[in-house]
Amino acid sequence: MTRQNSADQRNAAGEWAGAGFETVAIHAGQEPDAATGAVVVPIHPSSTFAQDAVGVPRGAYEYARSANPTRTALETCLAALEAGTVGLAFASGLAAEDAVLRTVLRPGDHVVIPSDAYGGTYRLFARVFAEWGVEYTPAPLDDLEAVRAALRPGTTRLLWCETPTNPLLGVADVEALAGLIHSVGGLLAVDNTFATPYLQRPLALGADVSVHSTTKYLGGHSDVVGGAVVVVDPALGERLRFIQNATGAVAGPFDAWLVLRGAKTLAVRMDRHCANARRIAALLTTHPAVAAVYYPGLPGDRGHAVAAKQMRDFGGMVSFTLRGGEEAAVEVCRRTRVFTLAESLGGVESLIEHPGRMTHASAAGSPLEVPADLVRLSVGIESAEDLVDDLTQALAALN
Ligand SMILES: *Cc1c(COP(=O)(O)O)cnc(C)c1O
């Protein structure tokens, strides 16, 4: 049955192969319901599906951990958006990452990870898979010589890439990294959460696996926790599907439906996130209280050239450090009114946070520790003037 589903998924995505991103987002995997004509994919809560005789399922479904029609719609849509062949939806971004690692790695394998990876990703390697006998080496992925030096030919099975990175907005050259890891027989996985498939398509750039926390921009409304994996190689897709079913961290039907609804408006939301982030980055670069701004859209940013080459636009995340140090960083987070002080990112509402004490606290004392005076913004889609005014008042008289 799972075989059948992945063939269906390929066909459904293939129908929209020539269409534009916005059209794919709204239609791939989302044909009007055959039974009722409902234009919107229904939420199917059923955990099980009737069989006409023993071993003869009535339709394509048997049991909802293995496959569920709402989840299949989302998985088909995500595969099409990422230009892959197999998409899989999980209960969280970390569940998606875990499934990739279980599929690809065996005890004794080695992986290279970004030296500024998302804190939860670092914890998964350092505290879970390390105990499982998987060795990891952090490397600055924007330094190709450093990455080459970290590779162990024959042992390095996986290069884990995040671009742009959370929270320092570092940019890695996906095409170049794919060349490096493929030359030693390993796979490239890219955490595409910050960029989204609208701004960047890692699989088209040579990556083997694209991973998302759909909690963020794909869901887009801060009302769901979810994850996704998309791959090109159907055999790798089948192994991942096996792990998804065998370990069971699947996206539930309502969660899958929320992410599917979010995906429909991803393109228009991202355009506004990017435009607003550009305004905020411009404000911060000229502000006397600000020490440094991290935003790949700034022409002087260390990642600008590579980002301009591989991304459609530069995203909605902006980080900065303060001349007043950690105290000033914490104070700014306390003062904003439109920017809500909270973890997470990628929703329509603007958020502000202090990574050192919040999202990245688990990396404290590790090689991935983040600067104490760093503030991270998830720039939302409110009116740009209100966002600029809010940050301006929060930064006033800080230095
Ligand atoms: C949030 C996040 C994750 C983890 O996703 P969850 O849905 O919280 O499990 C992974 N990578 C990045 C870049 C993230 O921002």
Side-chain angles (χ1 to χ4, degrees), residues 272 275-277 279-280 380-390:
R272 180 63 74 88
N276 283 359
R279 288 280 300 272
I280 297 296
I381 64 171
E382 300 97 334
S383 94
E385 286 66 34
D386 292 337
L387 298 179
V388 166
D389 288 351
D390 190 38

Side-chain angles (χ1 to χ4, degrees), residues 91-95 97 118 121 162 164 166 191 193-194 212-216 225-227 344-345 376:
S92 70
L94 281 172
E97 294 187 21
Y118 170 68
T121 300
E162 210 183 293
N166 182 357
D191 183 336
T193 299
F194 270 36
H212 285 277
S213 168
T214 56
T215 312
K216 314 295 169 54
V225 171
S344 199
L345 59 107
R376 188 189 76 181

Side-chain angles (χ1 to χ4, degrees), residues 110 112 147-159 177-188:
H110 173 250
V112 175
V147 175
R148 196 194 307 276
L151 295 176
R152 301 182 192 164
T155 314
T156 306
R157 261 311 278 157
L158 185 69
L159 173 53
L177 291 178
L180 275 182
I181 186 68
H182 291 159
S183 74
V184 298
L187 300 180
L188 176 64

Side-chain angles (χ1 to χ4, degrees), residues 331-398:
E331 179 61 12
V332 171
C333 293
R334 195 188 63 78
R335 286 186 186 178
T336 55
R337 293 291 170 264
V338 183
F339 283 85
T340 300
L341 176 57
E343 299 194 355
S344 199
L345 59 107
V348 293
E349 61 285 299
S350 292
L351 301 178
I352 187 168
E353 70 125 359
H354 184 265
R357 294 195 194 170
M358 295 170 64
T359 48
H360 291 67
S362 66
S366 82
L368 281 81
E369 189 171 296
V370 297
D373 58 347
L374 187 74
V375 171
R376 188 189 76 181
L377 302 175
S378 173
V379 181
I381 64 171
E382 300 97 334
S383 94
E385 286 66 34
D386 292 337
L387 298 179
V388 166
D389 288 351
D390 190 38
L391 270 185
T392 303
Q393 67 79 23
L395 289 165
L398 261 185

Side-chain angles (χ1 to χ4, degrees), residues 37-180:
V39 168
V40 171
V41 171
I43 301 170
H44 290 273
S46 196
S47 59
T48 189
F49 299 85
Q51 308 201 1
D52 287 332
V54 173
V56 185
R58 188 168 301 174
Y61 298 92
E62 287 172 9
Y63 181 63
R65 170 167 30 73
S66 310
N68 161 289
T70 314
R71 198 176 90 218
T72 299
L74 171 63
E75 293 179 333
T76 304
C77 183
L78 291 173
L81 291 178
E82 282 279 355
T85 62
V86 178
L88 298 159
F90 290 87
S92 70
L94 281 172
E97 294 187 21
D98 179 62
V100 171
L101 304 190
R102 284 174 193 277
T103 300
V104 171
L105 301 174
R106 293 295 170 270
D109 286 346
H110 173 250
V111 298
V112 175
I113 66 170
S115 49
D116 59 346
Y118 170 68
T121 300
Y122 175 68
R123 183 174 56 200
L124 189 59
F125 282 107
R127 306 274 301 278
V128 180
F129 279 84
E131 280 191 16
W132 214 52
V134 172
E135 282 190 60
Y136 65 93
T137 306
L141 298 195
D142 55 0
D143 178 348
L144 294 175
E145 280 319 305
V147 175
R148 196 194 307 276
L151 295 176
R152 301 182 192 164
T155 314
T156 306
R157 261 311 278 157
L158 185 69
L159 173 53
W160 188 272
C161 167
E162 210 183 293
T163 185
T165 59
N166 182 357
L168 287 169
L169 285 308
V171 174
D173 186 330
V174 174
E175 208 172 343
L177 291 178
L180 275 182

